[in-house]
Each structure stands twice: as structure tokens, then as C-alpha cells.
């Protein structure tokens, strides 16, 4: 299935994706595939070269022709987001979700992908696509602003996949201040789109999801404050720059390496509860980079094949403003049935300026 449908002609993104592969080299590779290995990481900033000559990405056209992979809009166009001179940067690429975001971008034919990690990079491990053309930058710490500005130089988009850890920093410094730092660095560098991966239920302190998770260093409270700080940064930014906040449901690992947006369900209003795989979360985050309708929006993401229900007792679908959460009650089954394809999935989103995405949340430990 097509992971992200090409937008209409009026969109800034063209439907053409990749140049034709060099047939002889492609035939050789597919006849005797080698194990993918990551290019050695470089300390400090390592920019994508504008003309490397033949690359494994040149071969992706052949793979795409088989129908095994589906590209995102205009990744190969020079000057467009995702091109070699305007790469998509994944911050927190050492983590499970961040790693999958980088792999997803490469699998779709992205000419420019940059992976930022705080410490040393351990390698990609076994992947279905060659990751050797990904630029890896070590020493990028979201709690240290001075490491962010050079790492995001010339980026077209940034995906924030970092979160608190025993080595990387606590929730206040990473999920709140760190998110704000990256947003500011994006604005300073003129990055078109910033995608923040947050969490479901951050605005619902009475829900079980919030209560169970927040015991881990007040992380839900700090994630919500991080969201709001990002919104404040963009209120003062050039209007051509934008953000998207993705709140995945309960994250789970999956044995399958194949993920499709056709399995995703997007909602707004922080009213629903459900689960989603990390791989599908990565697909939603990557698609958010390229969808104009996701600009300035906060969305919740679920796997529609799983159970989706109301988030907490006493909270129903009525009276909540947002996509599929209007003043009238709505049917989950109908919502699932009408979201077919990426354009449909991301259509009709309300911007954060159109309703209160915080649901009136009051910080428990204000930063």
C-alpha cells in the first residue's frame, strides 16, 4: 500500500521521486545483496555531500519499481525537504523510535537523512535497507543548546525522538527544556518543520495512563510543558516555519518490520486511549514532516487494528473540540472507516490556534 500519497498539484511537493537507477549496478546488487552497514560516525557536524556519484540510494528506484517500498513526496528534488542539501534530521536516533524514523526515511528514498545521537553511535544493526549514506553526528545533547545549532544547520525538517533516560538526562531537562531547545534551534536555522514526538494523555492528569506513567520522574507533566513551550516558540517565529506534535498511544514493540499508514488512526483532543507500535509511530512522524495539513497541529496516533476507547471515566466524545471530536458525539468505527490513505488520514486537522490543545492543563511542577 502507498504509505504517503502524493499531494495535489497545488502542493509544494512534486509527485516525482527518484532518478532512474543505473541498471548494471542495480542488477549486480540485487543478484548478490550484501549486508547493510552504517557509515562510520564522525565527531561533530558531518554534512551530506551534494554529489557523491553512485550511491545505494540510486538503486532505490529499482526497489520502488517492484512495489516493495513507497516514497514520500519529492524527497529527491533539489532544495526540497529531504533532499541532500536539506536533510531530515532525527534527534534521538539511538532510541527505538528514533532509529525507526531514520530507517523509514531511508526506505522511502530520502536523499538526505541525518541521525543525531548524544553519545557514541552503536550502529544500525540488521535493517532491510542500506543505512550507509546516513550522516551520523555524535555529541548532540538536547540539554545543551550549543550542540544543536550546528547539528541542525541546513536541515529541512527535524524529528524529535528523544526522551528521559538514566544516561541522557531527566524528564525536565530532556522532555521539557530539551524539546524547547530543539524548537529554538530549528527556528534559528530556518528549519521548515519540527515534529515533536510526545505522548498520549499528557493533558489528562486523572487518566490511568497519565498516573501510571507520571511516576517516572514526573515525565507526563514535563512532556506537556515541553509541548506548550514548543507552541510558544513558534508563536514568535517566522510564519513560514511550523511544527507538528505527535502523541502516540501506548508504545509497543512489534516483530514485524513492515508498517503502513493504512493501519494508523489519527485523532485530536486527547480523548482516546489505545496502543500503537513504535514502527507505526515512526511512519506517522515521518509523514507529518511532509503533510501541509499537519502544520501547527497536535495529533494523537493509534493502531486502528487494536482497541480504541475513551481515555478516562467521565470523558466522552461529546463536547471536545478537535478532529473527529466535535460538539456532537462521534462513532469510532465510522472514524476508522473514513480514514483511508495518507491524505484522508491527515485531512481536516485543526490547528492548535483553533482550540485548546492543552485542555486547560495546569503544570504540577512548573519549570
Amino acid at each position: 500500500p502507498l504509505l504517503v500519497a502524493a499531494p495535489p498539484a497545488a502542493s509544494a511537493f512534486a509527485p516525482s521521486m527518484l532518478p532512474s537507477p543505473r541498471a548494471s549496478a542495480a542488477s549486480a546488487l540485487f543478484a548478490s545483496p550484501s549486508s547493510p552497514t552504517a557509515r562510520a560516525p564522525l565527531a561533530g557536524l558531518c554534512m551530506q555531500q551534494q554529489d557523491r556519484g553512485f550511491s545505494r540510494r540510486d538503486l532505490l528506484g529499482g526497489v520502488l519499481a517492484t512495489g516493495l517500498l513507497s516514497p514520500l513526496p519529492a524527497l529527491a528534488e533539489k532544495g526540497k525537504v529531504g533532499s541532500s542539501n536539506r536533510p531530515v534530521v532525527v534527534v534521538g536516533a539511538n532510541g527505538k523510535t528514533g532509529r525507526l524514523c531514520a530507517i523509514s526515511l531511508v526506505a522511502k528514498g530520502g536523499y538526505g537523512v541525518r541521525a543525531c545521537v548524544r553519545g557514541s553511535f552503536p550502529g544500525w544493526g540488521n535493517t532491510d535497507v542500506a543505512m550507509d549514506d546516513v550522516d551520523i553526528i555524535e555529541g548532540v545533547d538536547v540539554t545543551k543548546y550549543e550542540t544543536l545549532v550546528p547539528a541542525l544547520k541546513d536541515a529541512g525538517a527535524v524529528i524529535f525522538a528523544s526522551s528521559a533516560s538514566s544516561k541522557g538526562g531527566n524528564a525536565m531537562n530532556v522532555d521539557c527544556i530539551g524539546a524547547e531547545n530543539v524548537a529554538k534551534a530549528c527556528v534559528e536555522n530556518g528549519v521548515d518543520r519540527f515534529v515533536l514526538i510526545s505522548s498520549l494523555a499528557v493533558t489528562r492528569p486523572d487518566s490511568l495512563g497519565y498516573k501510571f506513567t507520571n511516576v517516572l520522574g514526573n515525565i507526563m507533566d514535563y512532556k506537556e510543558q515541553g509541548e506548550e513551550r514548543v507552541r510558544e516558540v513558534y508563536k514568535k517565529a517566522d510564519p513560514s516555519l511550523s511544527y507538528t506534535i505527535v502523541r502516540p498511544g501506548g508504545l509497543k514493540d512489534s516483530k514485524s518490520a513492515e508498517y503502513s499508514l493504512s493501519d494508523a488512526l489519527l485523532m485530536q483532543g486527547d480523548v482516546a486511549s489505545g496502543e500503537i507500535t513504535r514502527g507505526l509511530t515512526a511512519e506517522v512522524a515521518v509523514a507529518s514532516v511532509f503533510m501541509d495539513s499537519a502544520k501547527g497541529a497536535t495529533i494523537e496516533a493509534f493502531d486502528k487494528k487494536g482497541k480504541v476507547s475513551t481515555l478516562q471515566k467521565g470523558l466522552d466524545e461529546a463536547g471536545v473540540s478537535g478532529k473527529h471530536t466535535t460538539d456532537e458525539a462521534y462513532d469510532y468505527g465510522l472514524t476508522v472507516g473514513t480514514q483511508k490513505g495518507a491524505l484522508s488520514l491527515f485531512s481536516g486537522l485543526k490547528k492548535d490556534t483553533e482550540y485548546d490543545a492543552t485542555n486547560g492543563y495546569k503544570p504540577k511542577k512548573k519549570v
Side-chain angles (χ1 to χ4, degrees), residues 97-150:
T97 305
R99 177 179 178 275
L100 289 168
C101 286
I103 292 172
S104 174
L105 284 160
V106 172
K108 291 171 180 58
Y111 272 25
V113 182
R114 192 184 300 166
C116 294
V117 298
R118 185 190 60 82
S120 59
F121 184 68
W124 295 107
N126 294 324
T127 64
D128 292 332
V129 293
M131 302 294 289
D132 49 322
D133 283 339
V134 175
D135 282 333
I136 299 164
I137 310 177
E138 298 178 335
V140 181
D141 190 336
V142 299
T143 70
K144 298 177 180 178
Y145 188 78
E146 64 274 14
T147 70
L148 296 170
V149 174

